[in-house]
Amino acid sequence: MSPRSSAGFVLVTAAALTAALATPSLAASNTPAQLTQAIASHESHTLRGLAKPGKVNATVSSTNWSGYAATGSTGAYTSVTSAWTQPTVTCGSATTYSSFWVGLDGYSNSALEQTGTEADCIGGKATYGAWWEVLPASESAYSGVTVKGGDKFTATVTYTGSTFTMTLADSTEGWTKTTTHAGSSGFKNASAEVIAEAPEVGGSVASLANFGTVTFTGAKTNGSNLDTYSPNEIVMTKSSSSAVRAQPGSISGGSFADVWKAS
């Protein structure tokens, strides 16, 4: 083969390689598994195992929630918002789940309007997703989005006087999803939450995925920092003991860290 032919062969090969790397099949290999509606339809975020209900400005425990909840009378809260960086999970063989969200109601009643993300380990593979939920219905996955560990999220739930608007924005991936809903039957807007959670899957509280630490910032309700409302601190514990599963740190200026302790 002549030098000219050899050069031509190299150029063609390089062009072919570039084209191959740009194909969706190879690009998709860098994207973690994404939440599907088939998975989401089995998940729910109802508060479970709350100890010391009725306490105000107190530390309480739950078997599936960890974070902060501002509580009050009917109609006390009409908006809640917070931002966080999507945690990255490292998976072994166990199937585990974790969710991160903001919501209205749910602490002292069976209503709840919320939106957030999740980081799960399903079939040994990290699975990420974004969702909204209005109880008593199960979680609904946002379609047509990609969620990765390290993505920057902002979530907001607002009651406008007749409907709830749930908005989740991923500034890293460049998408925003908004859902408008009439809300849960009998909603009271009596609490506002910013939560890390072991969701309920198939009717039972799931094992908690090791999400490391998630830091919530800009946590506000009714436009003011969540901590100005003297919220209850919720520690996630195991149902069979007082062993801690997830622990929130102190909240200040609308920011706090929540740390995974055990599945």
Side-chain angles (χ1 to χ4, degrees), residues 45 84-89 97-102 114-120 128-129 131 155 168 194-197 199 208-216 258:
H45 302 273
W84 64 88
T85 299
Q86 174 73 2
T88 300
V89 288
Y97 295 80
S98 62
S99 293
F100 316 95
W101 55 266
V102 304
Q114 57 183 163
T115 188
T117 66
E118 64 185 82
D120 308 327
Y128 300 102
W131 53 269
L168 185 67
V194 179
I195 298 292
E197 181 190 16
L208 182 63
N210 185 351
F211 60 83
T213 299
V214 59
T215 299
F216 294 99
D258 212 305

PDB file of all heavy atoms in Angstrom, residues 45 84-89 97-102 114-120 128-129 131 155 168 194-197 199 208-216 258:
ATOM      1  N   HIS A  45     -44.901   7.461  49.468  1.00  0.00           N
ATOM      2  CA  HIS A  45     -44.082   8.248  50.402  1.00  0.00           C
ATOM      3  C   HIS A  45     -44.843   8.649  51.657  1.00  0.00           C
ATOM      4  O   HIS A  45     -44.542   9.656  52.287  1.00  0.00           O
ATOM      5  CB  HIS A  45     -43.526   9.474  49.674  1.00  0.00           C
ATOM      6  CG  HIS A  45     -42.719   9.110  48.477  1.00  0.00           C
ATOM      7  ND1 HIS A  45     -41.368   8.823  48.552  1.00  0.00           N
ATOM      8  CD2 HIS A  45     -43.061   8.938  47.182  1.00  0.00           C
ATOM      9  CE1 HIS A  45     -40.916   8.511  47.344  1.00  0.00           C
ATOM     10  NE2 HIS A  45     -41.924   8.569  46.496  1.00  0.00           N
ATOM     11  N   TRP A  84     -30.971  20.692  46.140  1.00  0.00           N
ATOM     12  CA  TRP A  84     -29.993  19.699  46.578  1.00  0.00           C
ATOM     13  C   TRP A  84     -29.243  19.156  45.376  1.00  0.00           C
ATOM     14  O   TRP A  84     -29.665  19.301  44.232  1.00  0.00           O
ATOM     15  CB  TRP A  84     -30.659  18.551  47.339  1.00  0.00           C
ATOM     16  CG  TRP A  84     -31.625  17.707  46.548  1.00  0.00           C
ATOM     17  CD1 TRP A  84     -31.355  16.595  45.795  1.00  0.00           C
ATOM     18  CD2 TRP A  84     -33.051  17.911  46.431  1.00  0.00           C
ATOM     19  NE1 TRP A  84     -32.502  16.092  45.228  1.00  0.00           N
ATOM     20  CE2 TRP A  84     -33.557  16.880  45.594  1.00  0.00           C
ATOM     21  CE3 TRP A  84     -33.926  18.867  46.943  1.00  0.00           C
ATOM     22  CZ2 TRP A  84     -34.902  16.785  45.271  1.00  0.00           C
ATOM     23  CZ3 TRP A  84     -35.271  18.769  46.612  1.00  0.00           C
ATOM     24  CH2 TRP A  84     -35.742  17.735  45.793  1.00  0.00           C
ATOM     25  N   THR A  85     -28.104  18.528  45.661  1.00  0.00           N
ATOM     26  CA  THR A  85     -27.341  17.807  44.650  1.00  0.00           C
ATOM     27  C   THR A  85     -27.713  16.337  44.725  1.00  0.00           C
ATOM     28  O   THR A  85     -27.662  15.738  45.808  1.00  0.00           O
ATOM     29  CB  THR A  85     -25.831  17.989  44.862  1.00  0.00           C
ATOM     30  OG1 THR A  85     -25.503  19.383  44.747  1.00  0.00           O
ATOM     31  CG2 THR A  85     -25.032  17.198  43.836  1.00  0.00           C
ATOM     32  N   GLN A  86     -28.103  15.781  43.590  1.00  0.00           N
ATOM     33  CA  GLN A  86     -28.527  14.381  43.571  1.00  0.00           C
ATOM     34  C   GLN A  86     -27.401  13.472  44.063  1.00  0.00           C
ATOM     35  O   GLN A  86     -26.297  13.460  43.509  1.00  0.00           O
ATOM     36  CB  GLN A  86     -28.922  13.983  42.150  1.00  0.00           C
ATOM     37  CG  GLN A  86     -29.257  12.512  41.967  1.00  0.00           C
ATOM     38  CD  GLN A  86     -30.591  12.135  42.588  1.00  0.00           C
ATOM     39  OE1 GLN A  86     -31.306  12.970  43.127  1.00  0.00           O
ATOM     40  NE2 GLN A  86     -30.948  10.869  42.502  1.00  0.00           N
ATOM     41  N   PRO A  87     -27.631  12.708  45.131  1.00  0.00           N
ATOM     42  CA  PRO A  87     -26.604  11.789  45.615  1.00  0.00           C
ATOM     43  C   PRO A  87     -26.283  10.686  44.604  1.00  0.00           C
ATOM     44  O   PRO A  87     -27.124  10.296  43.788  1.00  0.00           O
ATOM     45  CB  PRO A  87     -27.235  11.193  46.883  1.00  0.00           C
ATOM     46  CG  PRO A  87     -28.255  12.189  47.306  1.00  0.00           C
ATOM     47  CD  PRO A  87     -28.803  12.748  46.018  1.00  0.00           C
ATOM     48  N   THR A  88     -25.066  10.190  44.684  1.00  0.00           N
ATOM     49  CA  THR A  88     -24.622   9.048  43.896  1.00  0.00           C
ATOM     50  C   THR A  88     -24.579   7.827  44.802  1.00  0.00           C
ATOM     51  O   THR A  88     -24.025   7.892  45.905  1.00  0.00           O
ATOM     52  CB  THR A  88     -23.240   9.304  43.293  1.00  0.00           C
ATOM     53  OG1 THR A  88     -23.295  10.451  42.444  1.00  0.00           O
ATOM     54  CG2 THR A  88     -22.747   8.107  42.493  1.00  0.00           C
ATOM     55  N   VAL A  89     -25.177   6.735  44.374  1.00  0.00           N
ATOM     56  CA  VAL A  89     -25.163   5.520  45.183  1.00  0.00           C
ATOM     57  C   VAL A  89     -24.223   4.489  44.560  1.00  0.00           C
ATOM     58  O   VAL A  89     -24.107   4.387  43.335  1.00  0.00           O
ATOM     59  CB  VAL A  89     -26.572   4.907  45.326  1.00  0.00           C
ATOM     60  CG1 VAL A  89     -27.426   5.761  46.233  1.00  0.00           C
ATOM     61  CG2 VAL A  89     -27.245   4.715  43.982  1.00  0.00           C
ATOM     62  N   TYR A  97     -33.510   1.571  48.286  1.00  0.00           N
ATOM     63  CA  TYR A  97     -34.131   2.761  47.705  1.00  0.00           C
ATOM     64  C   TYR A  97     -33.851   3.977  48.567  1.00  0.00           C
ATOM     65  O   TYR A  97     -33.698   3.867  49.796  1.00  0.00           O
ATOM     66  CB  TYR A  97     -35.652   2.581  47.611  1.00  0.00           C
ATOM     67  CG  TYR A  97     -36.121   1.495  46.687  1.00  0.00           C
ATOM     68  CD1 TYR A  97     -36.110   0.156  47.086  1.00  0.00           C
ATOM     69  CD2 TYR A  97     -36.605   1.791  45.414  1.00  0.00           C
ATOM     70  CE1 TYR A  97     -36.558  -0.849  46.245  1.00  0.00           C
ATOM     71  CE2 TYR A  97     -37.056   0.790  44.561  1.00  0.00           C
ATOM     72  CZ  TYR A  97     -37.029  -0.525  44.983  1.00  0.00           C
ATOM     73  OH  TYR A  97     -37.478  -1.521  44.155  1.00  0.00           O
ATOM     74  N   SER A  98     -33.833   5.160  47.950  1.00  0.00           N
ATOM     75  CA  SER A  98     -33.782   6.419  48.689  1.00  0.00           C
ATOM     76  C   SER A  98     -34.434   7.507  47.859  1.00  0.00           C
ATOM     77  O   SER A  98     -34.339   7.503  46.630  1.00  0.00           O
ATOM     78  CB  SER A  98     -32.336   6.810  49.039  1.00  0.00           C
ATOM     79  OG  SER A  98     -31.559   7.017  47.867  1.00  0.00           O
ATOM     80  N   SER A  99     -35.122   8.434  48.539  1.00  0.00           N
ATOM     81  CA  SER A  99     -35.807   9.533  47.864  1.00  0.00           C
ATOM     82  C   SER A  99     -35.523  10.845  48.576  1.00  0.00           C
ATOM     83  O   SER A  99     -35.277  10.862  49.798  1.00  0.00           O
ATOM     84  CB  SER A  99     -37.322   9.297  47.837  1.00  0.00           C
ATOM     85  OG  SER A  99     -37.665   8.204  47.030  1.00  0.00           O
ATOM     86  N   PHE A 100     -35.616  11.945  47.824  1.00  0.00           N
ATOM     87  CA  PHE A 100     -35.324  13.280  48.343  1.00  0.00           C
ATOM     88  C   PHE A 100     -36.384  14.224  47.785  1.00  0.00           C
ATOM     89  O   PHE A 100     -36.556  14.293  46.562  1.00  0.00           O
ATOM     90  CB  PHE A 100     -33.918  13.711  47.926  1.00  0.00           C
ATOM     91  CG  PHE A 100     -32.917  12.599  48.091  1.00  0.00           C
ATOM     92  CD1 PHE A 100     -32.594  11.774  47.018  1.00  0.00           C
ATOM     93  CD2 PHE A 100     -32.365  12.317  49.332  1.00  0.00           C
ATOM     94  CE1 PHE A 100     -31.724  10.708  47.172  1.00  0.00           C
ATOM     95  CE2 PHE A 100     -31.496  11.247  49.504  1.00  0.00           C
ATOM     96  CZ  PHE A 100     -31.170  10.439  48.421  1.00  0.00           C
ATOM     97  N   TRP A 101     -37.092  14.954  48.673  1.00  0.00           N
ATOM     98  CA  TRP A 101     -38.256  15.670  48.178  1.00  0.00           C
ATOM     99  C   TRP A 101     -38.679  16.812  49.078  1.00  0.00           C
ATOM    100  O   TRP A 101     -38.226  16.930  50.227  1.00  0.00           O
ATOM    101  CB  TRP A 101     -39.418  14.705  47.969  1.00  0.00           C
ATOM    102  CG  TRP A 101     -39.823  13.857  49.154  1.00  0.00           C
ATOM    103  CD1 TRP A 101     -39.386  12.579  49.432  1.00  0.00           C
ATOM    104  CD2 TRP A 101     -40.737  14.201  50.199  1.00  0.00           C
ATOM    105  NE1 TRP A 101     -39.992  12.110  50.576  1.00  0.00           N
ATOM    106  CE2 TRP A 101     -40.828  13.079  51.063  1.00  0.00           C
ATOM    107  CE3 TRP A 101     -41.511  15.324  50.490  1.00  0.00           C
ATOM    108  CZ2 TRP A 101     -41.640  13.074  52.202  1.00  0.00           C
ATOM    109  CZ3 TRP A 101     -42.328  15.327  51.617  1.00  0.00           C
ATOM    110  CH2 TRP A 101     -42.375  14.198  52.450  1.00  0.00           C
ATOM    111  N   VAL A 102     -39.611  17.643  48.537  1.00  0.00           N
ATOM    112  CA  VAL A 102     -40.306  18.654  49.324  1.00  0.00           C
ATOM    113  C   VAL A 102     -41.796  18.403  49.173  1.00  0.00           C
ATOM    114  O   VAL A 102     -42.255  17.857  48.159  1.00  0.00           O
ATOM    115  CB  VAL A 102     -39.965  20.093  48.877  1.00  0.00           C
ATOM    116  CG1 VAL A 102     -38.450  20.325  48.928  1.00  0.00           C
ATOM    117  CG2 VAL A 102     -40.501  20.400  47.467  1.00  0.00           C
ATOM    118  N   GLN A 114     -46.242  16.386  46.644  1.00  0.00           N
ATOM    119  CA  GLN A 114     -44.783  16.413  46.744  1.00  0.00           C
ATOM    120  C   GLN A 114     -44.120  16.153  45.387  1.00  0.00           C
ATOM    121  O   GLN A 114     -44.746  15.605  44.468  1.00  0.00           O
ATOM    122  CB  GLN A 114     -44.317  15.357  47.749  1.00  0.00           C
ATOM    123  CG  GLN A 114     -44.803  13.962  47.393  1.00  0.00           C
ATOM    124  CD  GLN A 114     -44.437  12.897  48.391  1.00  0.00           C
ATOM    125  OE1 GLN A 114     -45.013  11.822  48.377  1.00  0.00           O
ATOM    126  NE2 GLN A 114     -43.488  13.154  49.240  1.00  0.00           N
ATOM    127  N   THR A 115     -42.855  16.521  45.298  1.00  0.00           N
ATOM    128  CA  THR A 115     -42.043  16.178  44.122  1.00  0.00           C
ATOM    129  C   THR A 115     -40.588  16.057  44.546  1.00  0.00           C
ATOM    130  O   THR A 115     -40.140  16.717  45.491  1.00  0.00           O
ATOM    131  CB  THR A 115     -42.206  17.224  42.997  1.00  0.00           C
ATOM    132  OG1 THR A 115     -41.553  16.751  41.812  1.00  0.00           O
ATOM    133  CG2 THR A 115     -41.617  18.579  43.375  1.00  0.00           C
ATOM    134  N   GLY A 116     -39.845  15.187  43.827  1.00  0.00           N
ATOM    135  CA  GLY A 116     -38.454  14.992  44.192  1.00  0.00           C
ATOM    136  C   GLY A 116     -37.752  13.995  43.294  1.00  0.00           C
ATOM    137  O   GLY A 116     -38.185  13.725  42.170  1.00  0.00           O
ATOM    138  N   THR A 117     -36.667  13.443  43.807  1.00  0.00           N
ATOM    139  CA  THR A 117     -35.831  12.513  43.055  1.00  0.00           C
ATOM    140  C   THR A 117     -35.600  11.247  43.870  1.00  0.00           C
ATOM    141  O   THR A 117     -35.963  11.174  45.043  1.00  0.00           O
ATOM    142  CB  THR A 117     -34.463  13.140  42.716  1.00  0.00           C
ATOM    143  OG1 THR A 117     -33.725  13.364  43.939  1.00  0.00           O
ATOM    144  CG2 THR A 117     -34.624  14.457  41.975  1.00  0.00           C
ATOM    145  N   GLU A 118     -34.979  10.264  43.234  1.00  0.00           N
ATOM    146  CA  GLU A 118     -34.579   9.077  43.974  1.00  0.00           C
ATOM    147  C   GLU A 118     -33.277   8.512  43.446  1.00  0.00           C
ATOM    148  O   GLU A 118     -32.881   8.767  42.308  1.00  0.00           O
ATOM    149  CB  GLU A 118     -35.670   8.025  43.994  1.00  0.00           C
ATOM    150  CG  GLU A 118     -36.049   7.419  42.672  1.00  0.00           C
ATOM    151  CD  GLU A 118     -37.244   6.469  42.869  1.00  0.00           C
ATOM    152  OE1 GLU A 118     -38.392   6.942  42.919  1.00  0.00           O
ATOM    153  OE2 GLU A 118     -37.000   5.246  42.961  1.00  0.00           O
ATOM    154  N   ALA A 119     -32.613   7.770  44.325  1.00  0.00           N
ATOM    155  CA  ALA A 119     -31.367   7.083  43.983  1.00  0.00           C
ATOM    156  C   ALA A 119     -31.482   5.681  44.565  1.00  0.00           C
ATOM    157  O   ALA A 119     -31.438   5.509  45.787  1.00  0.00           O
ATOM    158  CB  ALA A 119     -30.163   7.824  44.558  1.00  0.00           C
ATOM    159  N   ASP A 120     -31.637   4.696  43.707  1.00  0.00           N
ATOM    160  CA  ASP A 120     -31.920   3.325  44.127  1.00  0.00           C
ATOM    161  C   ASP A 120     -30.827   2.368  43.654  1.00  0.00           C
ATOM    162  O   ASP A 120     -30.030   2.694  42.774  1.00  0.00           O
ATOM    163  CB  ASP A 120     -33.257   2.859  43.536  1.00  0.00           C
ATOM    164  CG  ASP A 120     -34.396   3.822  43.806  1.00  0.00           C
ATOM    165  OD1 ASP A 120     -34.387   4.470  44.872  1.00  0.00           O
ATOM    166  OD2 ASP A 120     -35.292   3.923  42.945  1.00  0.00           O
ATOM    167  N   TYR A 128     -31.606   6.029  38.871  1.00  0.00           N
ATOM    168  CA  TYR A 128     -31.966   7.378  39.291  1.00  0.00           C
ATOM    169  C   TYR A 128     -33.259   7.809  38.618  1.00  0.00           C
ATOM    170  O   TYR A 128     -33.602   7.322  37.542  1.00  0.00           O
ATOM    171  CB  TYR A 128     -30.847   8.363  38.940  1.00  0.00           C
ATOM    172  CG  TYR A 128     -29.533   8.038  39.598  1.00  0.00           C
ATOM    173  CD1 TYR A 128     -28.503   7.421  38.879  1.00  0.00           C
ATOM    174  CD2 TYR A 128     -29.316   8.326  40.937  1.00  0.00           C
ATOM    175  CE1 TYR A 128     -27.293   7.109  39.489  1.00  0.00           C
ATOM    176  CE2 TYR A 128     -28.116   8.015  41.557  1.00  0.00           C
ATOM    177  CZ  TYR A 128     -27.102   7.403  40.830  1.00  0.00           C
ATOM    178  OH  TYR A 128     -25.912   7.094  41.432  1.00  0.00           O
ATOM    179  N   GLY A 129     -33.965   8.738  39.268  1.00  0.00           N
ATOM    180  CA  GLY A 129     -35.208   9.185  38.664  1.00  0.00           C
ATOM    181  C   GLY A 129     -35.772  10.420  39.310  1.00  0.00           C
ATOM    182  O   GLY A 129     -35.274  10.918  40.329  1.00  0.00           O
ATOM    183  N   TRP A 131     -39.802  12.369  40.085  1.00  0.00           N
ATOM    184  CA  TRP A 131     -41.182  11.958  40.252  1.00  0.00           C
ATOM    185  C   TRP A 131     -42.005  13.027  40.960  1.00  0.00           C
ATOM    186  O   TRP A 131     -41.488  13.971  41.529  1.00  0.00           O
ATOM    187  CB  TRP A 131     -41.259  10.647  41.058  1.00  0.00           C
ATOM    188  CG  TRP A 131     -40.509  10.733  42.357  1.00  0.00           C
ATOM    189  CD1 TRP A 131     -39.195  10.407  42.570  1.00  0.00           C
ATOM    190  CD2 TRP A 131     -41.001  11.219  43.610  1.00  0.00           C
ATOM    191  NE1 TRP A 131     -38.839  10.646  43.876  1.00  0.00           N
ATOM    192  CE2 TRP A 131     -39.930  11.154  44.530  1.00  0.00           C
ATOM    193  CE3 TRP A 131     -42.233  11.699  44.046  1.00  0.00           C
ATOM    194  CZ2 TRP A 131     -40.060  11.551  45.868  1.00  0.00           C
ATOM    195  CZ3 TRP A 131     -42.366  12.109  45.368  1.00  0.00           C
ATOM    196  CH2 TRP A 131     -41.283  12.011  46.263  1.00  0.00           C
ATOM    197  N   ALA A 155     -36.678  21.941  43.847  1.00  0.00           N
ATOM    198  CA  ALA A 155     -38.054  21.443  43.866  1.00  0.00           C
ATOM    199  C   ALA A 155     -38.945  22.438  44.598  1.00  0.00           C
ATOM    200  O   ALA A 155     -38.539  23.018  45.611  1.00  0.00           O
ATOM    201  CB  ALA A 155     -38.115  20.082  44.549  1.00  0.00           C
ATOM    202  N   LEU A 168     -40.151  20.571  39.404  1.00  0.00           N
ATOM    203  CA  LEU A 168     -38.821  20.017  39.657  1.00  0.00           C
ATOM    204  C   LEU A 168     -37.918  20.408  38.491  1.00  0.00           C
ATOM    205  O   LEU A 168     -38.257  20.163  37.330  1.00  0.00           O
ATOM    206  CB  LEU A 168     -38.891  18.492  39.787  1.00  0.00           C
ATOM    207  CG  LEU A 168     -37.589  17.791  40.175  1.00  0.00           C
ATOM    208  CD1 LEU A 168     -37.170  18.156  41.601  1.00  0.00           C
ATOM    209  CD2 LEU A 168     -37.735  16.274  40.048  1.00  0.00           C
ATOM    210  N   VAL A 194     -39.138  19.004  54.130  1.00  0.00           N
ATOM    211  CA  VAL A 194     -37.976  18.765  53.266  1.00  0.00           C
ATOM    212  C   VAL A 194     -37.348  17.479  53.793  1.00  0.00           C
ATOM    213  O   VAL A 194     -36.877  17.438  54.935  1.00  0.00           O
ATOM    214  CB  VAL A 194     -36.980  19.931  53.304  1.00  0.00           C
ATOM    215  CG1 VAL A 194     -35.777  19.631  52.419  1.00  0.00           C
ATOM    216  CG2 VAL A 194     -37.658  21.237  52.865  1.00  0.00           C
ATOM    217  N   ILE A 195     -37.327  16.425  52.956  1.00  0.00           N
ATOM    218  CA  ILE A 195     -37.136  15.074  53.488  1.00  0.00           C
ATOM    219  C   ILE A 195     -36.204  14.215  52.634  1.00  0.00           C
ATOM    220  O   ILE A 195     -36.242  14.260  51.402  1.00  0.00           O
ATOM    221  CB  ILE A 195     -38.505  14.351  53.577  1.00  0.00           C
ATOM    222  CG1 ILE A 195     -39.454  15.082  54.535  1.00  0.00           C
ATOM    223  CG2 ILE A 195     -38.343  12.883  53.967  1.00  0.00           C
ATOM    224  CD1 ILE A 195     -39.037  15.037  55.996  1.00  0.00           C
ATOM    225  N   ALA A 196     -35.379  13.406  53.314  1.00  0.00           N
ATOM    226  CA  ALA A 196     -34.720  12.239  52.722  1.00  0.00           C
ATOM    227  C   ALA A 196     -35.471  11.022  53.245  1.00  0.00           C
ATOM    228  O   ALA A 196     -35.844  10.968  54.422  1.00  0.00           O
ATOM    229  CB  ALA A 196     -33.253  12.179  53.135  1.00  0.00           C
ATOM    230  N   GLU A 197     -35.694  10.040  52.389  1.00  0.00           N
ATOM    231  CA  GLU A 197     -36.637   8.979  52.760  1.00  0.00           C
ATOM    232  C   GLU A 197     -36.241   7.601  52.245  1.00  0.00           C
ATOM    233  O   GLU A 197     -35.615   7.475  51.190  1.00  0.00           O
ATOM    234  CB  GLU A 197     -38.029   9.327  52.196  1.00  0.00           C
ATOM    235  CG  GLU A 197     -39.106   8.315  52.535  1.00  0.00           C
ATOM    236  CD  GLU A 197     -40.391   8.563  51.770  1.00  0.00           C
ATOM    237  OE1 GLU A 197     -40.363   9.303  50.769  1.00  0.00           O
ATOM    238  OE2 GLU A 197     -41.425   8.001  52.167  1.00  0.00           O
ATOM    239  N   PRO A 199     -38.489   5.067  50.811  1.00  0.00           N
ATOM    240  CA  PRO A 199     -39.887   5.005  50.391  1.00  0.00           C
ATOM    241  C   PRO A 199     -40.523   3.655  50.701  1.00  0.00           C
ATOM    242  O   PRO A 199     -39.839   2.664  50.968  1.00  0.00           O
ATOM    243  CB  PRO A 199     -39.812   5.247  48.885  1.00  0.00           C
ATOM    244  CG  PRO A 199     -38.448   4.800  48.498  1.00  0.00           C
ATOM    245  CD  PRO A 199     -37.574   5.150  49.658  1.00  0.00           C
ATOM    246  N   LEU A 208     -32.897   1.193  52.988  1.00  0.00           N
ATOM    247  CA  LEU A 208     -32.441   2.525  52.584  1.00  0.00           C
ATOM    248  C   LEU A 208     -31.121   2.434  51.833  1.00  0.00           C
ATOM    249  O   LEU A 208     -30.119   1.919  52.349  1.00  0.00           O
ATOM    250  CB  LEU A 208     -32.282   3.411  53.813  1.00  0.00           C
ATOM    251  CG  LEU A 208     -31.852   4.858  53.578  1.00  0.00           C
ATOM    252  CD1 LEU A 208     -32.884   5.614  52.760  1.00  0.00           C
ATOM    253  CD2 LEU A 208     -31.600   5.558  54.915  1.00  0.00           C
ATOM    254  N   ALA A 209     -31.098   2.945  50.599  1.00  0.00           N
ATOM    255  CA  ALA A 209     -29.865   2.970  49.806  1.00  0.00           C
ATOM    256  C   ALA A 209     -28.839   3.878  50.471  1.00  0.00           C
ATOM    257  O   ALA A 209     -29.190   4.912  51.053  1.00  0.00           O
ATOM    258  CB  ALA A 209     -30.159   3.462  48.387  1.00  0.00           C
ATOM    259  N   ASN A 210     -27.583   3.508  50.376  1.00  0.00           N
ATOM    260  CA  ASN A 210     -26.510   4.317  50.958  1.00  0.00           C
ATOM    261  C   ASN A 210     -26.262   5.533  50.071  1.00  0.00           C
ATOM    262  O   ASN A 210     -25.493   5.483  49.120  1.00  0.00           O
ATOM    263  CB  ASN A 210     -25.244   3.481  51.104  1.00  0.00           C
ATOM    264  CG  ASN A 210     -24.135   4.252  51.814  1.00  0.00           C
ATOM    265  OD1 ASN A 210     -24.245   5.451  52.050  1.00  0.00           O
ATOM    266  ND2 ASN A 210     -23.064   3.555  52.167  1.00  0.00           N
ATOM    267  N   PHE A 211     -26.929   6.627  50.409  1.00  0.00           N
ATOM    268  CA  PHE A 211     -26.789   7.850  49.631  1.00  0.00           C
ATOM    269  C   PHE A 211     -25.682   8.753  50.153  1.00  0.00           C
ATOM    270  O   PHE A 211     -25.425   9.821  49.594  1.00  0.00           O
ATOM    271  CB  PHE A 211     -28.120   8.614  49.584  1.00  0.00           C
ATOM    272  CG  PHE A 211     -28.655   9.038  50.938  1.00  0.00           C
ATOM    273  CD1 PHE A 211     -28.201  10.198  51.547  1.00  0.00           C
ATOM    274  CD2 PHE A 211     -29.633   8.294  51.572  1.00  0.00           C
ATOM    275  CE1 PHE A 211     -28.707  10.604  52.784  1.00  0.00           C
ATOM    276  CE2 PHE A 211     -30.150   8.690  52.807  1.00  0.00           C
ATOM    277  CZ  PHE A 211     -29.678   9.853  53.416  1.00  0.00           C
ATOM    278  N   GLY A 212     -24.991   8.322  51.226  1.00  0.00           N
ATOM    279  CA  GLY A 212     -23.900   9.138  51.775  1.00  0.00           C
ATOM    280  C   GLY A 212     -24.466  10.322  52.534  1.00  0.00           C
ATOM    281  O   GLY A 212     -25.060  10.163  53.592  1.00  0.00           O
ATOM    282  N   THR A 213     -24.304  11.504  51.981  1.00  0.00           N
ATOM    283  CA  THR A 213     -24.847  12.732  52.566  1.00  0.00           C
ATOM    284  C   THR A 213     -25.543  13.542  51.489  1.00  0.00           C
ATOM    285  O   THR A 213     -25.002  13.718  50.395  1.00  0.00           O
ATOM    286  CB  THR A 213     -23.735  13.597  53.195  1.00  0.00           C
ATOM    287  OG1 THR A 213     -23.097  12.862  54.251  1.00  0.00           O
ATOM    288  CG2 THR A 213     -24.303  14.888  53.774  1.00  0.00           C
ATOM    289  N   VAL A 214     -26.742  13.999  51.780  1.00  0.00           N
ATOM    290  CA  VAL A 214     -27.426  14.933  50.892  1.00  0.00           C
ATOM    291  C   VAL A 214     -27.583  16.241  51.660  1.00  0.00           C
ATOM    292  O   VAL A 214     -27.973  16.246  52.829  1.00  0.00           O
ATOM    293  CB  VAL A 214     -28.801  14.391  50.429  1.00  0.00           C
ATOM    294  CG1 VAL A 214     -29.728  14.110  51.585  1.00  0.00           C
ATOM    295  CG2 VAL A 214     -29.435  15.361  49.437  1.00  0.00           C
ATOM    296  N   THR A 215     -27.238  17.344  51.016  1.00  0.00           N
ATOM    297  CA  THR A 215     -27.342  18.655  51.655  1.00  0.00           C
ATOM    298  C   THR A 215     -28.448  19.461  50.987  1.00  0.00           C
ATOM    299  O   THR A 215     -28.408  19.719  49.788  1.00  0.00           O
ATOM    300  CB  THR A 215     -26.019  19.424  51.569  1.00  0.00           C
ATOM    301  OG1 THR A 215     -24.996  18.671  52.243  1.00  0.00           O
ATOM    302  CG2 THR A 215     -26.141  20.794  52.226  1.00  0.00           C
ATOM    303  N   PHE A 216     -29.442  19.807  51.783  1.00  0.00           N
ATOM    304  CA  PHE A 216     -30.539  20.638  51.311  1.00  0.00           C
ATOM    305  C   PHE A 216     -30.197  22.107  51.574  1.00  0.00           C
ATOM    306  O   PHE A 216     -29.774  22.460  52.681  1.00  0.00           O
ATOM    307  CB  PHE A 216     -31.837  20.278  52.030  1.00  0.00           C
ATOM    308  CG  PHE A 216     -32.351  18.899  51.727  1.00  0.00           C
ATOM    309  CD1 PHE A 216     -32.116  17.851  52.602  1.00  0.00           C
ATOM    310  CD2 PHE A 216     -33.069  18.653  50.570  1.00  0.00           C
ATOM    311  CE1 PHE A 216     -32.598  16.571  52.338  1.00  0.00           C
ATOM    312  CE2 PHE A 216     -33.554  17.370  50.285  1.00  0.00           C
ATOM    313  CZ  PHE A 216     -33.320  16.339  51.177  1.00  0.00           C
ATOM    314  N   ASP A 258     -28.248  15.781  55.541  1.00  0.00           N
ATOM    315  CA  ASP A 258     -28.868  14.554  56.029  1.00  0.00           C
ATOM    316  C   ASP A 258     -27.923  13.407  55.686  1.00  0.00           C
ATOM    317  O   ASP A 258     -27.501  13.263  54.537  1.00  0.00           O
ATOM    318  CB  ASP A 258     -30.230  14.348  55.388  1.00  0.00           C
ATOM    319  CG  ASP A 258     -31.206  13.633  56.311  1.00  0.00           C
ATOM    320  OD1 ASP A 258     -30.858  12.539  56.771  1.00  0.00           O
ATOM    321  OD2 ASP A 258     -32.286  14.183  56.563  1.00  0.00           O
TER     322      ASP A 258
END
